[in-house]
Amino acid sequence: MTLTELAYRHRPLVGLLAVVLMAFGAFSYFNLPAREDPKVTIREAVVTTSYPGLSAERIERLITKTLEEQVRRVPEVEELRSTSMPGQSIIHVVIEDRYFNLDQIWDDVRQEVRAAQDKLPEGASPPQVNDEFGDVAVITAALTSDDWAMRDIADMAEHIRDRLYAVDGTKRVDLLGIQQERMWIEFSNARLAELGVGPDALQQTLSRQNVIRPGGELDTGDRAFLIEPSGNFESTEDVGDTLIRLPGEAGVVPLRDVATVRRGYRDPPARKAYYNGKPAVILAVSMLEGRSVLDFSKRATARLDEVRQSLPAGYRLDLVTLQERQVEKAVYGVSFNVLQTLAILLAVVVLFLGLRTGLIVGAIVPTVMLITVAIMGLFEMTLQRMSLATLVIALGLLVDNGIVVAEEFKRRLGEGVERDATLRAVGSELALPLLSSTLTTILVFLPLMLAEHVSGEYTRSISLIMLISLLTSWVGSMTVTPLLCHRFIKAPEPGATESDGGLSERIFRPLVAIYDRLLRRVLRARWAFLGAMTLLLVASVYAIGQAPSRFFPASDRAQVLVYLDLPTGVTARTTDARLQDVFEVLNDKDRFPQVQDYGAYVGFGGPRFVLSLTPIDPAPNQAFMVLNVGERAQVDPTVKQLRSLFRQEFPGLFARVAGMFLGPSDSSKIDIQATGPDAEVITRTADRIAEILRQVPGSNGVRHDWQNRIAKIRVAVDQARARRAGVTSADIAEALETYFSGRQVTEFREGDDIFPVVARAEAGERTDLDRLKTLSVYGDDGRGVPLMQVADFELQNAYARIHREDMTRTVTVEARNDRMTAEDMVPLIRPDLERLRADLPPGHGIELDGVVKESAEGQAALAANAPLCLGVIVLLLVAQFNGFRRPAMILATMPLVLIGVAIGLYVMGANFGFMPILGLYALAGIVVNNAIVLIDRIDIERAQGYAPAEAVVKASVRRLRPILMTTATTIVGLLPLIVFQDALFFGMASVMAFGLGVATVLTLGIIPVLYSLFCRTGPAQRES
């Protein structure tokens, strides 16, 4: 018993199941978790270790290399990227793409880091492993105030954070931009030398007095009394009143007479945040896995509205980024495209098949769509731009099976076959051929499902949605559609002819006649036709190779990203001051009326507010800004305006300005690496690579990540003189650190806040280079010695950044281009790079990195499983036709899609990248289905007694209408993505529409020609 007969026997059950699944699909649409983009697992953790004052070379040698060697023992690690800078080591640990359960891997990484900790130099902080590096802040809000101090703003931000944690679905709330408080004790070197008091004496006195220790418990027998000695500092005055004992019998002196005691903030400032040019505390809110961005954002923003109403006067709470807006735009925008496509599709089907048959076929589309969403709900899949746009593409494919079933049902009724017999015949004869064609279409998407690459993970929902929707379509066409046809299709009246047909017949009648004449002419010039197709194919391959390439398209977000670099060696204070100048210009609404608001971050990259946008590593000479410009059309003009602004008005700032991007990498930025052990060689090579990139027309933002060198003062201690003076190298290092950078001597406690009390030289001395020589160094005996008596001084150049990749020193040169993508730049610079590579010493090299490397890896990941999928398709075809000739003819039609693809790329101005490549895979499966249908009909005509040559023509003419109909419905399904220029799917839809249209027309010629050659039939004679 066939599936169709089984469905007919249990019609009430089939109807009930369909209605229930459709209802659950409608429910799931409004309740499935919604996201802007598909979830991509960030397989990256950051290991951070600090050692203030240590140079970049010593950080690399003593800390970074030690940790790298230990972490590399974890077998799942694919890549290590590290940055060694003065006082800090940052290591990015990247796991291979095939791993998804990362918790155990991160535990292994932590274990190796702990094992390496004993090998680190004394004074290094314990390494911190951050494995939540990929958390996305779905909401960022800015708390600002003109009337309250930063400590008050921080306290209010902590209160708001506590309120947000009470919102269901909140995972974490980070507070960014808070400036840690300090109690500063600023002294004069001359004054301490005059009194004979060293910094060590200050530390001992303050730390021993500022205690918060219990004195025990007094037990009197009947009662117990707690004993609590005083001494804890409760105010700035308490610190200043501390009595410092002078050497010998000179007595004591209050600390305020020795040094200035004041309360302030960390200096230089660290990781400051701004909103619209005002100091701010940024609240970055991330969401628990599996929650809907739309639902969570509504709850969180409602809570923020409540908080905003209760804020004291002088505070302001604004939203900086809200992912809900982007998700609504992506989900609801594509959903509207689905409805548009559905309406157009129904109109086309009704036009081709007539009202009654068209409605029967069209009914399968919403049924399959809602059941697909229901299955997505069962498997806890998400609604995002990728899955919904795939439904748009699938719409045109869903009706193919229904059209074939309805046409066959109608044809048999017209031949006088009884309805029940027609139902049985349709179910038995079409089930396997339609299943085979459905599976071939699914199989072409299988490489995407199996690709072990981040780009494959980003687009994997395409293959999953295609699998679900097409299998559901086949089941529906074997159950629901035959039942509807059995119930509603009318048999043609006795004696009716084609001339009695409706509008569709009047449209196709002249088309059929034209096709009949052209096909007979083509069959008389078969070899010439094949030669022309070969030439077109070769030309198309060449044209596609010359088309602009782009791994993933630009984003439709109306945001502009600005990365600012100052020369290395400057402090965050200098970076902050220069950023203030930029704020003054951006706040000028006459010059930048399109800028609605902006957030800025000094010394770090802020929160990750988009999954694909990795924040920059912390550095005092860098800043990051994100500008909201209202509309996507304003992005490119704003980018050009800002580039001109920084070039003309801020020559000391190196600015990189760009729009947002889709996919895992920015396709507008090219990265080229110089690798090797010799720092001088690779930095010189990087400079030459930068010159090569600057010569490419349209290049901008050319830089390398080692940046400029910095000045380092080497204090060469004369050990003999130092021993005679009674001081050691440790005494000298501590004196230098205390005098210029400051040293914590105790801590100040206020409520639940604890912050350091730091001793350092007063501002006029610690910023004066000449004070270095006269600095007093104190030994164990308490006597001060000028530093110049025990040491010599030498000014040296040192590297400010040392980057390594996979344990090899690496300099990365980056550039952007206004006229072409990174992949288009490669052919222009490759000859110069090859010549430069040939001149490098052994052990050094030049490599392409970034989006160029990721694009090649993504395409390779797709191609790795293509032979397997092609092999399964061949097996299906051989099994269906029980031979090799017909499968060979069918496979020969696959390359024809390239002709239409080339036309589509150039006509629509689309870039050739990862998404159009997916379109190529899809086209191959769709064109194969047309060839299967056509060859199957030719065999039927021959079995009915027609001569082989005539059977080829008759079958081709008979299959013209269903083939054109299925092609038209598929193209119609792609039109909304093309007309509205969907940011992600425009290139793919353009390639599929033109490729399918051209390939279908050519298939209607190439299959008859190949059949006549493979089966040795002569040209058909024209019928009278």
Side-chain angles (χ1 to χ4, degrees):
M1 181 180 293
T2 65
L3 182 61
T4 302
E5 291 178 274
L6 190 64
Y8 182 73
R9 179 172 296 182
H10 302 281
R11 295 189 297 278
L13 179 60
V14 171
L16 179 61
L17 281 175
V19 171
V20 169
L21 287 174
M22 290 173 65
F24 182 65
F27 172 80
S28 298
Y29 174 81
F30 294 102
N31 290 275
L32 279 176
R35 306 171 57 98
E36 179 183 7
D37 290 303
K39 180 183 181 300
V40 175
T41 304
I42 303 297
R43 301 170 177 85
E44 185 172 348
V46 181
V47 182
T48 305
T49 313
S50 62
Y51 196 139
L54 208 62
S55 66
E57 293 97 328
R58 299 177 74 181
I59 288 283
E60 178 201 25
R61 185 170 61 254
L62 301 176
I63 297 177
T64 303
K65 290 181 68 175
T66 303
L67 289 170
E68 285 180 343
E69 290 168 358
Q70 200 73 33
V71 172
R72 201 63 188 85
R73 298 183 180 183
V74 178
E76 295 87 356
V77 171
E78 180 182 34
E79 182 182 68
L80 292 175
R81 301 192 314 272
S82 66
T83 302
S84 301
M85 64 182 75
Q88 192 171 44
S89 166
I90 301 175
I91 302 175
H92 291 258
V93 183
V94 182
I95 306 302
E96 293 183 11
D97 288 332
R98 68 175 182 268
Y99 296 106
F100 289 89
N101 187 11
L102 301 178
D103 290 340
Q104 182 58 51
I105 297 175
W106 297 139
D107 287 343
D108 294 342
V109 170
R110 284 191 175 88
Q111 184 176 350
E112 296 297 338
V113 169
R114 284 194 294 269
Q117 188 168 339
D118 293 337
K119 304 176 185 178
L120 300 182
E122 184 181 355
S125 69
Q128 302 296 317
V129 180
N130 176 17
D131 61 358
E132 296 181 335
F133 185 65
D135 285 353
V136 177
V138 297
I139 299 174
T140 58
L143 180 66
T144 57
S145 177
D146 294 329
D147 304 322
W148 297 85
M150 175 54 71
R151 67 174 68 93
D152 300 314
I153 299 176
D155 289 341
M156 183 58 64
E158 291 174 357
H159 167 70
I160 298 173
R161 178 186 61 188
D162 296 340
R163 297 287 303 276
L164 286 172
Y165 270 124
V167 176
D168 181 42
T170 301
K171 179 181 180 181
R172 196 173 73 186
V173 182
D174 292 326
L175 302 182
L176 309 176
I178 290 180
Q179 296 305 296
Q180 296 180 350
E181 284 194 80
R182 294 285 190 273
M183 183 76 74
W184 296 108
I185 299 175
E186 297 176 331
F187 56 82
S188 166
N189 182 54
R191 177 63 172 159
L192 291 186
E194 175 187 350
L195 296 175
V197 177
D200 286 344
L202 298 180
Q203 179 179 11
Q204 291 175 8
T205 302
L206 291 169
S207 61
R208 291 184 65 83
Q209 178 173 332
N210 183 34
V211 296
I212 185 170
R213 292 180 58 185
E217 184 178 86
L218 177 61
D219 187 353
T220 64
D222 294 332
R223 300 181 60 184
F225 296 89
L226 293 177
I227 304 173
E228 187 175 281
S230 65
N232 179 49
F233 293 141
E234 296 183 355
S235 65
T236 306
E237 289 73 19
D238 285 351
V239 179
D241 290 340
T242 303
L243 297 177
I244 306 299
R245 183 173 296 279
L246 301 179
E249 301 297 329
V252 294
V253 61
L255 178 60
R256 62 174 175 270
D257 293 342
V258 178
T260 301
V261 181
R262 65 180 180 86
R263 187 168 173 173
Y265 297 97
R266 179 170 175 172
D267 181 36
R271 303 192 181 190
K272 294 187 72 173
Y274 291 90
Y275 177 69
N276 289 342
K278 295 181 179 180
V281 174
I282 303 295
L283 296 97
V285 186
S286 58
M287 182 184 67
L288 287 172
E289 187 67 32
R291 303 301 180 95
S292 171
V293 172
L294 296 179
D295 296 337
F296 174 75
S297 296
K298 286 181 173 60
R299 293 193 298 269
T301 52
R303 181 59 52 86
L304 289 175
D305 290 338
E306 294 176 10
V307 170
R308 191 178 290 113
Q309 298 300 321
S310 62
L311 286 176
Y315 284 107
R316 182 180 176 90
L317 184 62
D318 298 280
L319 292 176
V320 183
T321 61
L322 181 61
Q323 201 176 85
E324 178 189 12
R325 298 167 184 164
Q326 307 301 327
V327 173
E328 287 179 341
K329 182 179 178 182
V331 172
Y332 296 148
V334 178
S335 299
F336 181 66
N337 288 342
V338 171
L339 295 176
Q340 283 183 314
T341 304
L342 181 60
I344 298 172
L345 197 62
L346 290 175
V348 171
V349 171
V350 169
L351 176 66
F352 282 162
L353 298 178
L355 180 61
R356 185 179 293 266
T357 308
L359 290 177
I360 291 173
V361 173
I364 197 67
V365 178
T367 303
V368 172
M369 292 284 289
L370 289 174
I371 293 177
T372 299
V373 177
I375 296 174
M376 291 173 60
L378 290 174
F379 287 95
E380 298 182 349
M381 300 174 68
T382 59
L383 290 177
Q384 21 82 5
R385 71 164 81 233
M386 194 71 70
S387 59
L388 287 172
T390 304
L391 287 176
V392 176
I393 296 173
L395 274 174
L397 300 174
L398 299 182
V399 299
D400 291 1
N401 292 335
I403 289 174
V404 174
V405 170
E407 284 273 291
E408 184 67 15
F409 206 104
K410 190 174 181 180
R411 184 185 68 81
R412 287 180 179 272
L413 289 180
E415 293 175 353
V417 182
E418 193 264 340
R419 284 183 183 271
D420 291 345
T422 298
L423 186 77
R424 288 191 297 272
V426 167
S428 61
E429 294 181 10
L430 294 182
L432 288 180
L434 291 182
L435 179 60
S436 176
S437 63
T438 299
L439 290 177
T440 55
T441 305
I442 292 173
L443 283 169
V444 297
F445 288 98
L446 192 59
L448 180 59
M449 191 184 304
L450 300 177
E452 293 182 351
H453 190 263
V454 64
S455 57
E457 187 178 355
Y458 184 75
T459 55
R460 186 158 295 152
S461 55
I462 294 178
S463 57
L464 294 175
I465 299 301
M466 283 293 182
L467 171 67
I468 295 170
S469 61
L470 292 179
L471 283 179
T472 304
S473 171
W474 177 80
V475 173
S477 66
M478 289 292 99
T479 55
V480 177
T481 302
L483 297 184
L484 293 176
C485 290
H486 185 276
R487 176 67 179 82
F488 294 107
I489 282 187
K490 287 185 177 181
E493 297 294 333
T497 64
E498 282 193 359
S499 61
D500 300 325
L503 178 61
S504 61
E505 293 293 345
R506 291 195 294 273
I507 292 174
F508 274 98
R509 196 178 303 120
L511 193 60
V512 167
I514 294 172
Y515 175 60
D516 183 283
R517 290 194 299 270
L518 287 176
L519 181 58
R520 293 177 187 276
R521 291 179 182 177
V522 166
L523 290 174
R524 286 194 291 269
R526 293 175 293 185
W527 291 108
F529 179 76
L530 289 178
M533 291 299 100
T534 303
L535 290 176
L536 279 175
L537 189 58
V538 172
S540 300
V541 172
Y542 175 78
I544 292 174
Q546 300 302 309
S549 299
R550 190 182 188 101
F551 186 34
F552 275 91
S555 172
D556 54 354
R557 277 177 171 255
Q559 292 173 318
V560 176
L561 310 177
V562 181
Y563 299 88
L564 298 174
D565 294 343
L566 273 74
T568 53
V570 304
T571 64
R573 188 188 307 105
T574 304
T575 306
D576 185 40
R578 296 306 308 274
L579 203 58
Q580 302 292 333
D581 299 333
V582 176
F583 293 158
E584 291 185 11
V585 179
L586 288 179
N587 290 333
D588 186 349
K589 290 302 179 183
D590 293 331
R591 299 182 63 178
F592 291 93
Q594 74 276 23
V595 176
Q596 295 182 344
D597 59 359
Y598 60 90
Y601 307 91
V602 180
F604 72 121
R608 183 193 289 263
F609 62 94
V610 178
L611 186 65
S612 58
L613 188 64
T614 303
I616 60 174
D617 286 335
N621 66 312
Q622 295 182 333
F624 171 72
M625 302 174 65
V626 54
L627 284 66
N628 296 312
V629 294
E631 297 180 0
R632 178 65 182 86
Q634 295 286 351
V635 170
D636 291 338
T638 304
V639 168
K640 294 179 180 178
Q641 185 180 4
L642 286 173
R643 286 176 179 172
S644 175
L645 168 74
F646 287 114
R647 187 169 52 249
Q648 297 175 8
E649 300 184 29
F650 297 94
L653 282 175
F654 185 86
R656 294 164 287 154
V657 187
M660 295 288 290
F661 56 89
L662 294 173
S665 300
D666 185 357
S667 295
S668 67
K669 181 168 71 74
I670 187 171
D671 293 311
I672 305 174
Q673 294 180 330
T675 64
D678 192 324
E680 293 292 337
V681 171
I682 59 176
T683 52
R684 283 199 308 268
T685 303
D687 291 335
R688 294 177 64 182
I689 294 173
E691 288 302 320
I692 293 172
L693 290 172
R694 290 189 182 97
Q695 294 172 7
V696 179
S699 290
N700 62 80
V702 182
R703 67 185 285 273
H704 71 70
D705 57 1
W706 283 39
Q707 303 180 30
N708 59 285
R709 298 189 187 187
I710 59 174
K712 178 177 72 173
I713 301 174
R714 183 173 182 270
V715 180
V717 179
D718 187 316
Q719 297 298 331
R721 285 188 284 165
R723 280 193 297 272
R724 286 195 297 270
V727 297
T728 64
S729 295
D731 296 331
I732 295 172
E734 289 180 3
L736 289 168
E737 179 187 9
T738 303
Y739 192 76
F740 293 104
S741 299
R743 177 170 49 150
Q744 180 175 342
V745 294
T746 185
E747 60 186 21
F748 187 82
R749 292 171 286 273
E750 184 179 60
D752 59 352
D753 294 329
I754 300 176
F755 52 88
V757 178
V758 180
R760 66 177 180 178
E762 59 187 26
E765 294 187 12
R766 68 176 182 270
T767 57
D768 187 354
L769 277 176
D770 291 334
R771 297 286 183 168
L772 182 63
K773 296 182 179 181
T774 59
L775 169 64
S776 295
V777 180
Y778 295 85
D780 292 337
D781 58 2
R783 291 187 297 113
V785 180
L787 180 58
M788 60 183 177
Q789 291 186 8
V790 296
D792 299 316
F793 306 91
E794 181 183 356
L795 189 63
Q796 297 178 340
N797 281 330
Y799 290 107
R801 302 279 189 280
I802 299 177
H803 292 273
R804 296 161 59 88
E805 187 166 312
D806 290 332
M807 306 177 72
T808 302
R809 284 181 169 181
T810 303
V811 183
T812 302
V813 186
E814 70 173 58
R816 285 182 167 81
N817 196 288
D818 295 331
R819 306 179 187 177
M820 63 189 80
T821 64
E823 293 168 275
D824 293 333
M825 293 176 67
V826 173
L828 301 179
I829 62 176
R830 193 184 296 278
D832 292 329
L833 293 181
E834 292 297 334
R835 286 192 292 270
L836 183 57
R837 183 183 288 112
D839 295 335
L840 292 178
H844 297 75
I846 297 175
E847 301 173 356
L848 293 171
D849 196 53
V851 70
V852 178
K853 179 181 178 182
E854 290 187 4
S855 177
E857 290 176 347
Q859 296 177 31
L862 279 180
N865 297 291
L868 171 64
C869 302
L870 183 61
V872 177
I873 291 174
V874 171
L875 286 176
L876 286 174
L877 295 177
V878 171
Q880 181 177 350
F881 292 101
N882 195 28
F884 296 99
R885 290 184 180 182
R886 287 163 180 77
M889 296 181 219
I890 293 170
L891 295 177
T893 63
M894 285 187 174
L896 296 178
V897 301
L898 297 176
I899 300 174
V901 167
I903 296 173
L905 288 174
Y906 285 93
V907 170
M908 302 306 298
N911 294 314
F912 189 69
F914 192 82
M915 297 302 293
I917 289 175
L918 296 186
L920 271 177
Y921 280 87
L923 283 173
I926 298 171
V927 171
V928 162
N929 292 337
N930 290 337
I932 291 173
V933 169
L934 191 51
I935 289 178
D936 183 64
R937 189 67 218 179
I938 294 174
D939 289 339
I940 292 174
E941 296 292 342
R942 291 185 64 182
Q944 293 177 354
Y946 287 99
E950 194 60 32
V952 169
V953 176
K954 280 189 170 292
S956 301
V957 170
R958 172 166 280 184
R959 284 302 184 201
L960 176 66
R961 182 162 116 165
I963 288 176
L964 291 183
M965 283 177 58
T966 55
T967 300
T969 54
T970 303
I971 293 176
V972 164
L974 298 168
L975 283 180
L977 301 177
I978 299 174
V979 173
F980 295 102
Q981 295 193 354
D982 182 86
L984 186 61
F985 281 88
F986 173 74
M988 180 179 179
S990 300
V991 161
M992 289 184 65
F994 280 85
L996 181 58
V998 174
T1000 298
V1001 173
L1002 297 180
T1003 299
L1004 289 169
I1006 199 74
I1007 286 295
V1009 168
L1010 291 177
Y1011 195 99
S1012 66
L1013 290 173
F1014 275 63
C1015 298
R1016 298 182 178 87
T1017 67
Q1021 302 299 316
R1022 178 163 179 78
E1023 291 182 330
S1024 60

